[in-house]
Every structure is written in C-alpha cells, then in structure tokens.
Amino acid sequence: MDAAVKMLEFENKAVIPTDPRTKLFLTVTVSTIMITGGTGGFMNFIRPCLMACPIIFLLLSRKWTAAARFAVTYAILFVLELTVLPLLTGTWNFILGAAIGIYTHMLPGFIMGYYLVSTTTVSEFVAAMEHMHIPQTIVIPISVVFRFFPTVKEEYAAIRDAMKMRGITTLRNPMKMLEYRVVPLMISIAKIGEELSAAALTRGLGAPQKRTNICKIGFAPLDIFFFLLAIPCWVGFFIC
C-alpha cells in the first residue's frame, strides 16, 4: 500500500497538482465560452486568454510535443486568417472563413479535454466524482471513456507499426491502408469497449457498497486560483 501511494505521488509531480474537479471545470469553461460566446467588447480579451490557456497547461505539464503541435496549428490558422482570407471572395472566402472559425472555436475545448484525460488517472477521476456524489450510472461510462481513447491510440500505433513492417503505407497503397489499418482498428474498438466495461465492473464500480480510494483528492490554493481566474470569464460571457 505504501509503495502504491509513493508511486501516485511520483506521478503527480509530472503534472500540475490540480484537483480533477478543477480540470473538469476549466474544460467546461473553455469549451462553453469559446463555442457559444459572442464577439466584441470584453469577449475580445477573454477569447485570446482561453485560446492560450490549454497550451499553457500542456507546457506546465511537460507535454512539449502536444503543446507544440497545437501552438503551430493555431499559428497557421492565424496566419491564414490575416493573409489568405482577405484575398479570397465569394464561396472560397466563406469556406475558408467557416473552417478557420470552427477550428479556432472548438480546438481549445478539445485541447482541454485532452489535457484532462491525459493528466488524470481513472482512480483520481472516480474519487473526485464520488466526492461530488455523482451517480454510478454516470461515473462508470465516463471512467470507461477515460481509458478508451488512450487504449485505442495504443492499438492504432501497434497496427500502424505492423503495416509499416509489411510496406503498407498511406501514399503507396491507400486502399490497402484502408483495409489493413481501419478494419482491424474498428474490430479492436468493439473489443476494447467490452473489455474496459468488464474491467470497470470488476473493480467494483457498480457495487452498492462505498469504495475506498488511495488517491488524495482535495482543493489546494492553486485550485482556488484557477477558479478565481475562471469567474471573470463567466461574468463576461453572461454580460456580453
């Protein structure tokens, strides 16, 4: 038991020491305000802050590659909006403007979701939900989702490496790529969902008795600081 606790403490040093409920609140904040928020006034100040927020969290969590990818994507979209978009007219202007608008509004929410899933273990999430008295009918499916996407990513990487060893790549054999990569992945996804659901029930998530957890869940000064930063964003969202 002591070894497990020490291992959890070691893993927590690799990320920002924030409560899972804080991460969830920030994810909802960024997603809601970026997608449904208006423009003009105070929102012109809030939006750039919310766009930079996920990348800052990834950098502080030492996820350099993911932060660099998202930053480069935003930089490309920003350059296209300033240089290429004013030169286009008619249909092409509408298509490119709509694509840039959709990506710039939805991508921050996806980045925060990635940060939430990648820096929160299933045990931490379940412990946080139990502290919030969330019903098991909601906790179990979401806990399965927490492990679903990382497992699918690992499965796809294994399939990709196996196909590369056989000389099947996207450019050389697009049809074989579809057959030998996508089809096995779809079959694996169906099996992964069933296995993760069974694993969640095996851990006693559906039991009527109260479960114990060795994860230390609680609000720290850093969590309060993030909540205080998010409150002005919500105030500006409802006012504007």
Side-chain angles (χ1 to χ4, degrees):
M1 180 67 70
D2 294 337
V5 173
K6 291 181 180 179
M7 180 62 68
L8 287 174
E9 292 177 352
F10 175 79
E11 292 178 354
N12 287 337
K13 293 181 181 179
V15 299
I16 303 176
T18 53
D19 191 88
R21 290 166 288 184
T22 304
K23 300 176 186 178
L24 183 61
F25 176 72
L26 293 176
T27 302
V28 173
T29 300
V30 173
S31 302
T32 304
I33 296 178
M34 288 299 300
I35 294 176
T36 63
T39 57
F42 190 54
M43 292 300 299
N44 290 334
F45 173 76
I46 294 177
R47 284 186 178 278
C49 296
L50 294 180
M51 288 180 181
C53 180
I55 299 177
I56 293 174
F57 274 103
L58 291 177
L59 290 174
L60 294 177
S61 300
R62 297 201 286 270
K63 295 184 177 296
W64 317 116
T65 304
R69 289 177 179 176
F70 292 133
V72 169
T73 302
Y74 259 112
I76 293 174
L77 293 174
F78 183 73
V79 171
L80 289 176
E81 185 177 4
L82 293 180
T83 58
V84 179
L85 189 60
L87 301 177
L88 300 177
T89 57
T91 305
W92 289 109
N93 181 277
F94 173 77
I95 294 175
L96 182 61
I100 293 176
I102 291 173
Y103 273 103
T104 54
H105 283 72
M106 298 184 64
L107 193 56
F110 287 125
I111 301 174
M112 284 301 301
Y114 166 77
Y115 166 75
L116 171 65
V117 174
S118 60
T119 60
T120 307
T121 64
V122 178
S123 298
E124 291 174 344
F125 176 79
V126 172
M129 294 297 101
E130 289 178 349
H131 277 69
M132 297 173 63
H133 304 286
I134 303 297
Q136 292 287 336
T137 53
I138 299 177
V139 175
I140 294 177
I142 298 180
S143 62
V144 172
V145 171
F146 260 76
R147 285 300 307 151
F148 179 77
F149 291 107
T151 306
V152 170
K153 181 180 179 181
E154 295 175 0
E155 188 70 19
Y156 178 76
I159 295 174
R160 180 191 59 196
D161 294 340
M163 293 303 102
K164 282 184 178 181
M165 293 176 60
R166 292 167 174 80
I168 300 176
T169 60
T170 306
L171 298 177
R172 294 181 180 179
N173 304 288
M175 295 306 296
K176 287 186 178 181
M177 186 278 296
L178 180 65
E179 179 180 358
Y180 295 127
R181 285 193 185 184
V182 178
V183 174
L185 181 63
M186 297 301 293
I187 297 175
S188 299
I189 287 175
K191 294 182 179 180
I192 289 171
E194 296 177 358
E195 292 174 356
L196 291 178
S197 299
L201 295 176
T202 302
R203 291 184 176 185
L205 291 181
Q209 290 80 12
K210 184 178 180 180
R211 299 173 65 254
T212 58
N213 202 311
I214 62 176
C215 296
K216 295 181 179 180
I217 301 298
F219 289 106
L222 190 61
D223 297 287
I224 300 175
F225 174 74
F226 289 142
F227 270 94
L228 294 177
L229 286 181
I231 290 176
C233 297
W234 283 106
V235 173
F237 170 72
F238 286 111
I239 292 178
C240 299

